Amino acid sequence: MFQPNSMQAANPPHLIFEAPESLQPIVKRLNNMGWPHYSYAMKLAGLDYPGPAILVYVVPETSQLGAQLPPWVSGFANGEASTIVLLAERVHSYPARAIEDLLVHEVAHILNHRAARGREIPRWFDEGIATIAARTWDIEDRARLLWAVGERDEFSLERVNMFFRGNAPTARRGYALSAGFVRDIIQEYGQDTPRRILALVAQDVPFPIAFRQVVSLLPHQAAEAFIDRQSVWLRWVPFVTSDFMIWIGISTLAFVAFGMHVRRLKIRRRQQAEEEDQDNLMFDYGELEQPTESEWGDSDKWRDR
């Protein structure tokens, strides 16, 4: 039986790929991924050893499986079977930026399953860990989270789980919320929070109890605190995007542009003045045509007229 906390050397998960000839270039890219790609996923799951080999099927869009799945589904994992399926040609939307991100995301699901020893964990927790394991949190994630939160009274973890059973927009909303919440938990309670929760679940502690033992709050209470922290951002968004702030922004840009224009004009004038001074210094008066001795003697020629 696989032991989640077995102390082993840091090695990436052993992946066995199956793919048609047309997708072998993609498989080659995925095979070149090393330990750094999976290290954060293993850290979040609390695994020192990734466990047995994982079978990864890379299938084309034209496959029978591709026809059966909703068009927004680009991959899925089965922890019990240690199997991953990737539809490589569908990697075009949040949260996966590239096929490499998608693979790490699905591997993280397998690792979470192994860390919990197959015990049940909520979908939002599993997806949240997998999403932040596969991508760096950036301004896109922040924007998607603000869009996804919506009204405070509408938010619940049960609703987040339901988003993953909907269409593409609701699924993206689920990813944004689950990743934002798990990231918030890590920031508030420490990097080891997910692995500590998974370790307790692996010992047959029900997830809500395991969560409370680590966080000192039940999941829904932590979710309420999370939404309260997001409300600070939500209060600023309408103000920042108001007509007044847009006018201020445009005016500021105009002043900056005018200042840059004046600065460039001054620099150009200074350069022209320096060039004129340089020309004067380099002018050779000896090159002027000098009058002959007879012309010097002809005073009438040089008399002012």
Side-chain angles (χ1 to χ4, degrees):
M1 181 179 179
F2 171 62
Q3 299 296 321
N5 294 317
S6 299
M7 295 300 292
Q8 300 284 342
N11 292 313
H14 177 45
L15 306 179
I16 301 173
F17 291 93
E18 293 283 346
E21 187 64 31
S22 61
L23 297 178
Q24 286 303 313
I26 293 177
V27 170
K28 184 177 180 180
R29 279 170 51 192
L30 299 178
N31 254 326
N32 289 333
M33 294 169 61
W35 166 253
H37 288 86
Y38 306 102
S39 59
Y40 192 41
M42 291 187 62
K43 180 179 180 180
L44 290 171
L47 297 178
D48 300 297
Y49 171 60
I54 300 172
L55 183 59
V56 181
Y57 292 97
V58 184
V59 300
E61 179 67 25
T62 55
S63 66
Q64 183 178 359
L65 186 60
Q68 294 173 347
L69 292 172
W72 59 269
V73 174
S74 54
F76 60 88
N78 185 317
E80 194 67 36
S82 294
T83 301
I84 291 172
V85 175
L86 304 179
L87 285 92
E89 296 156 302
R90 292 189 181 184
V91 184
H92 50 69
S93 63
Y94 186 86
R97 292 188 178 97
I99 186 69
E100 290 84 355
D101 296 339
L102 177 60
L103 178 59
V104 174
H105 183 105
E106 301 304 337
V107 167
H109 284 311
I110 302 289
L111 299 178
N112 292 343
H113 177 85
R114 291 175 175 179
R117 296 189 182 179
R119 275 63 169 184
E120 184 178 0
I121 57 176
R123 181 75 181 269
W124 63 262
F125 189 67
D126 192 17
E127 294 291 355
I129 293 175
T131 300
I132 64 175
R135 57 181 286 126
T136 303
W137 187 267
D138 58 18
I139 191 171
E140 179 188 2
D141 298 274
R142 168 57 63 184
R144 286 186 177 276
L145 178 59
L146 291 177
W147 162 78
V149 167
E151 295 295 329
R152 188 184 190 284
D153 295 339
E154 296 178 356
F155 181 84
S156 71
L157 295 176
E158 291 75 16
R159 195 156 184 253
V160 174
N161 287 337
M162 290 177 59
F163 286 149
F164 293 108
R165 297 193 291 270
N167 54 24
T170 60
R172 285 194 289 269
R173 188 176 181 184
Y175 285 120
L177 288 170
S178 60
F181 183 34
V182 171
R183 181 175 178 271
D184 182 79
I185 292 170
I186 291 172
Q187 288 182 324
E188 291 295 317
Y189 304 102
Q191 284 283 343
D192 62 346
T193 301
R195 73 166 180 82
R196 291 171 61 196
I197 294 172
L198 289 170
L200 288 172
V201 172
Q203 299 171 26
D204 286 326
V205 178
F207 180 85
I209 306 303
F211 189 96
R212 186 176 62 183
Q213 288 187 22
V214 175
V215 176
S216 300
L217 295 171
L218 288 170
H220 75 274
Q221 294 171 327
E224 291 173 0
F226 162 68
I227 293 300
D228 287 340
R229 283 188 284 273
Q230 303 313 305
S231 64
V232 175
W233 287 88
L234 292 173
R235 283 195 295 268
W236 277 97
V237 168
F239 175 71
V240 172
T241 58
S242 65
D243 291 342
F244 173 74
M245 287 303 297
I246 292 174
W247 180 85
I248 289 293
I250 293 173
S251 300
T252 301
L253 289 175
F255 279 118
V256 170
F258 178 74
M260 293 176 65
H261 173 73
V262 171
R263 183 171 177 270
R264 285 195 297 266
L265 187 60
K266 288 181 178 179
I267 293 174
R268 190 178 301 116
R269 287 177 176 174
R270 185 167 61 249
Q271 290 174 341
Q272 290 174 347
E274 291 174 353
E275 290 172 358
E276 290 175 359
D277 291 342
Q278 188 69 17
D279 289 342
N280 291 335
L281 290 173
M282 295 177 64
F283 190 80
D284 187 358
Y285 288 92
E287 294 179 356
L288 290 174
E289 183 179 357
Q290 301 295 322
T292 63
E293 291 183 4
S294 60
E295 289 175 331
W296 278 116
D298 187 357
S299 59
D300 291 338
K301 185 175 181 179
W302 303 101
R303 186 179 298 118
D304 292 336
R305 293 186 172 90

